[in-house]
Amino acid sequence: MLVVADDMGWNDTGYSGNPDVKTPHLDDMASKGVRFDYFYAAQQMCSPGRFALMTGRNPFRTGLHQLGSMRRQEIT
């Protein structure tokens, strides 16, 4: 399972040491699986970054350089 979150900071979970935020399910997943603590987005905006995750393509090659939607001919 891969969990992708928007606008989640490095210290926004219980397993990363946040004393106020309670994330028992994420904590359990982190203890039983693989953690990627240094993960960088493919683009500075959400739409091209999501596009890259969904298609496997570099966001620059998609022509999507701003907020918007994916072209219909793209394969996910």
Side-chain angles (χ1 to χ4, degrees):
M1 176 186 298
L2 175 67
V3 177
V4 179
D6 263 351
D7 299 325
M8 185 171 152
W10 67 272
N11 194 28
D12 288 347
T13 58
Y15 69 82
S16 65
N18 191 311
D20 301 316
V21 178
K22 306 300 181 210
T23 56
H25 297 292
L26 292 177
D27 299 346
D28 185 52
M29 287 172 51
S31 70
K32 294 178 180 174
V34 176
R35 285 177 36 190
F36 296 100
D37 292 331
Y38 298 99
F39 187 83
Y40 297 93
Q43 190 74 353
Q44 71 271 18
M45 292 177 287
C46 59
S47 293
R50 286 188 190 122
F51 183 95
L53 288 171
M54 292 173 67
T55 63
R57 296 181 66 193
N58 184 305
F60 185 76
R61 293 188 61 205
T62 66
L64 186 61
H65 306 295
Q66 59 188 8
L67 297 177
S69 61
M70 214 169 11
R71 297 179 291 205
R72 291 189 183 272
Q73 68 266 27
E74 295 297 342
I75 299 171
T76 57

